[in-house]
Amino acid sequence: MAILFKADPDDIAAWTRALEALLPEVEIRVWPEIGNPNDIDFCVGWAFPQGSLAKLPNLRGLQSLGAGVDHVFRDSALPPNLPISRIVDPSMTEDMTHWIVLNVLRFHKQDPEYRKLQADGRWHELPAPMWQKRRIGMMGLGELGGHALARLKLFGFPLAGWSRTKKKIDGVETFFGDDGLKPFLNRTDILIVLLPHTPATEDLLNRKRLAWLPKGAYVINAGRGKLIVDEDLVAQLDSGHLGGAALDVFREEPLPASHAFWRHPKVVVTPHVSAPTLAATAAPQIVENYRRALGGRPLLHPVDRDRRY
Ligand code: NAP
Ligand code: GLV
């Protein structure tokens, strides 16, 4: 009996400590030190390499170390009936909400413009924005998007959301599916993207759809980099159609040094830190899933292989 664990080297010590404390009877093996593959009954981690899970004959379950599972589906040899789970952690959800609120208020309160005025040593008052008229739109109404919207409601902004299936949320104008996308973007001044990356969402925000946003709109993306076509976003910022962007996720991570986002005056970059998975809060659900997998019971927070999220 052993768990195979794979994460960023910086995170490994905290995770192995947390898992060993909760599961003292189970050996935690850290990728790539697999040992005898027959011993591994559960994998926990991020981006196991292509074909590696198929080589573990006694594997009973796979736990993504994040809320997103796009990294799981990159493996075309994923064992067909392997149960897959993702992280749903109220602490992570709150973390994401803080990052979203930070950036909504940054743009709403014209912070980029005031920083520039400060850099120029200018005392100058811009026309005051009205929160009553700042229309916020959330793409993705799941665990993260739903919670962030509920918190944003406290600020009084007009709110809307877009999802794959129809939703009814008190105080939120809801849109869904292909037909709902254009009217949703047309009414959105600050767009927040908290969608998963799937075949259906890749490159969703391209030139045509970014143009559906009103002039001066802002884009905040903490979903995945591949939801947005980078060149199209830069073009819309440069043309003045879009007012700014705050980005936490990128097509390639770390964001290459030469990428235009790093130095673009209208882009705020953070290095995929809006809502990390922390051992302190997420380890217990992983341990519970390990026990469920071994007992042949359904995992918590299961991933639907057809939808890919
Ligand atoms: P979730 O609970 O699965 O919610 C996903 C939402 O996206 C659902 O509302 C779903 O619609 C909607 N959706 C999926 N495909 C769609 C499509 N084709 N068209 C329209 N809507 C679609 O996921 P979550 O826990 O909120 O997480 C969302 C994503 O955030 C993750 O997948 C991950 O990529 C990202 N994330 C980033 C960080 C970070 O640090 N930057 C941290 C955690 C997560 P339905 O409700 O109709 O199913
Ligand atoms: C982070 O990006 C996650 O998916 O949890």
Side-chain angles (χ1 to χ4, degrees):
M1 274 186 5
I3 292 179
L4 180 61
F5 182 81
K6 179 173 179 296
D8 281 348
D10 290 352
D11 297 339
I12 283 171
W15 273 103
T16 47
R17 260 199 315 276
L19 294 174
E20 280 164 0
L22 293 167
L23 276 176
E25 71 281 15
V26 179
E27 189 187 346
I28 311 294
R29 294 193 188 157
V30 176
W31 177 271
E33 305 302 325
I34 298 177
N36 182 348
N38 294 325
D39 300 343
I40 310 288
D41 39 31
F42 197 65
C43 282
V44 179
W46 190 269
F48 283 94
Q50 166 68 26
S52 56
L53 301 178
K55 292 182 186 148
L56 305 173
N58 296 317
L59 192 60
R60 311 283 288 273
L62 170 63
Q63 171 73 58
S64 164
L65 204 56
V69 285
D70 42 324
H71 62 98
V72 169
F73 292 108
R74 271 185 242 142
D75 182 352
S76 60
L78 198 62
N81 298 315
L82 184 69
I84 305 167
S85 163
R86 69 192 195 94
I87 298 290
V88 176
D89 175 4
S91 172
M92 171 202 262
T93 302
E94 202 63 56
D95 261 335
M96 178 59 83
T97 290
H98 295 170
W99 188 88
I100 297 295
V101 169
L102 169 74
N103 286 294
V104 166
L105 296 182
R106 180 200 304 284
F107 291 133
H108 172 62
K109 296 300 283 183
Q110 304 157 300
D111 194 58
E113 291 83 354
Y114 281 115
R115 288 314 106 229
K116 189 168 181 322
L117 287 165
Q118 181 179 355
D120 297 343
R122 285 185 61 205
W123 181 277
H124 173 68
E125 206 173 318
L126 298 167
M130 286 187 73
W131 53 266
Q132 295 89 336
K133 295 189 175 171
R134 188 74 85 179
R135 298 163 300 174
I136 311 289
M138 179 71 71
M139 292 184 103
L141 298 173
E143 296 290 338
L144 301 178
H147 185 76
L149 261 189
R151 288 282 194 262
L152 286 166
K153 202 183 282 180
L154 301 175
F155 295 99
F157 298 117
L159 302 177
W162 182 75
S163 52
R164 188 178 57 85
T165 57
K166 193 172 179 177
K167 300 258 182 300
K168 194 172 180 315
I169 307 174
D170 193 36
V172 178
E173 187 182 5
T174 51
F175 299 82
F176 69 101
D178 291 348
D179 292 348
L181 187 52
K182 190 165 192 280
F184 164 76
L185 292 174
N186 281 168
R187 56 69 65 207
T188 292
D189 301 314
I190 299 183
L191 176 69
I192 304 160
V193 188
L194 275 174
L195 292 168
H197 171 220
T198 69
T201 61
E202 181 158 326
D203 295 338
L204 188 65
L205 290 169
N206 58 13
R207 186 161 166 255
K208 178 177 91 176
R209 299 194 185 98
L210 288 169
W212 289 344
L213 289 163
K215 188 170 164 47
Y218 299 94
V219 174
I220 296 173
N221 184 20
R224 282 290 182 264
K226 287 186 178 167
L227 302 171
I228 299 183
V229 179
D230 293 1
E231 307 74 59
D232 294 352
L233 177 60
V234 169
Q236 297 283 17
L237 291 165
D238 287 345
S239 74
H241 180 68
L242 294 180
L247 308 173
D248 185 55
V249 284
F250 303 91
R251 300 183 89 87
E252 190 182 340
E253 296 183 2
L255 183 63
S258 59
H259 199 288
F261 288 155
W262 277 119
R263 277 162 288 279
H264 198 288
K266 289 178 157 181
V267 176
V268 176
V269 167
T270 52
H272 202 142
V273 290
S274 53
T277 306
L278 299 179
T281 56
Q285 67 184 268
I286 294 177
V287 168
E288 170 64 16
N289 267 341
Y290 174 69
R291 296 203 166 106
R292 284 174 177 239
L294 259 61
R297 288 179 289 136
L299 301 187
L300 299 174
H301 318 307
V303 171
D304 182 319
R305 283 184 180 236
D306 294 331
R307 294 183 326 189
R308 298 233 191 171
Y309 64 95

